[in-house]
Amino acid sequence: MIISMHKKSFDEQKLILSQALEKLPIGRMAIDETGLGMNLAEDMMKYYPHIIEPVNFAGRVDTDAKKRLDKSNKKLTVAVKERLATLVKIGLERRSISLYRERDLIDQIHSIKREVTPMGNIRYAVEKNEQHHADKFWALALALFVSHSNRPGLLAMPVFSRLNG
């Protein structure tokens, strides 16, 4: 299910999300808490702390469930965006993701490009585009992220908030 909240106010977005949480069997909901999503994630956490999972796109996550350690005995981590993009790539390669035949969704998936910075860091950028910021790609990635839960059988719903895009 895709619920587009293009140009919806934060209050409208909160109302739509609250209605979805009340009517659908949603077990977890990931909300991008970076930038514009910060207010939405914080407010929704107040009302649904057992369901809402804020995700900081600027953060880092463990590389895997085994909590591997590097030579200095530190946990190996990857950037959140790298982890999310990798989940989408693997899902598409394994054909374990069923996509809507929606041109905009497909275009946004294809618009993400993996780049290596001069410092050797990985970043995921959107091709120069006036029409979108790949929000649907990141929403798909959040859905995959929360679906890798230890709570099987529950519907996971991602939320990526952007008022202008």
Side-chain angles (χ1 to χ4, degrees):
M1 171 173 55
I2 296 175
I3 301 173
S4 180
M5 294 197 238
H6 182 69
K7 297 196 178 193
K8 300 269 190 225
S9 70
F10 285 124
D11 287 338
E12 290 173 299
Q13 291 179 42
K14 290 173 202 170
L15 178 62
I16 291 167
L17 295 179
S18 294
Q19 290 172 340
L21 287 165
E22 298 298 327
K23 294 179 180 176
L24 300 171
I26 298 171
R28 291 175 72 194
M29 179 184 287
I31 299 179
D32 168 28
E33 70 171 351
T34 316
L36 287 174
M38 189 181 300
N39 173 265
L40 185 64
E42 183 179 304
D43 286 354
M44 294 302 292
M45 276 283 297
K46 290 177 192 173
Y47 301 106
Y48 304 96
H50 56 292
I51 296 175
I52 302 300
E53 183 171 339
V55 177
N56 185 330
F57 276 40
R60 298 188 70 77
V61 293
D62 292 331
T63 55
D64 62 24
K66 296 176 184 173
K67 309 272 193 267
R68 293 182 294 162
L69 302 176
D70 68 10
K71 292 177 183 173
S72 64
N73 210 29
K74 292 181 181 176
K75 282 192 283 188
L76 294 176
T77 62
V78 294
V80 168
K81 276 191 161 185
E82 183 175 358
R83 174 70 176 271
L84 294 173
T86 301
L87 286 171
V88 174
K89 183 177 190 238
I90 290 169
L92 291 171
E93 287 174 348
R94 293 181 179 170
R95 298 182 181 201
S96 61
I97 300 172
S98 296
L99 295 177
Y100 286 100
R101 291 179 187 242
E102 182 188 73
R103 185 82 240 155
D104 192 41
L105 172 63
I106 304 303
D107 287 346
Q108 290 190 32
I109 289 170
H110 286 289
S111 74
I112 294 291
K113 300 299 177 210
R114 181 180 185 266
E115 300 173 350
V116 179
T117 68
M119 296 295 294
N121 297 316
I122 305 296
R123 77 182 277 256
Y124 291 87
V126 179
E127 289 179 341
K128 299 293 182 214
N129 190 319
E130 297 291 322
Q131 297 175 341
H132 66 79
H133 302 278
D135 292 342
K136 289 182 180 181
F137 170 85
W138 293 114
L140 171 61
L142 284 171
L144 293 172
F145 180 72
V146 296
S147 70
H148 284 78
S149 166
N150 292 332
R151 296 160 42 186
L154 296 176
L155 178 64
M157 182 174 181
V159 177
F160 193 89
S161 175
R162 185 179 306 276
L163 293 177
N164 297 333

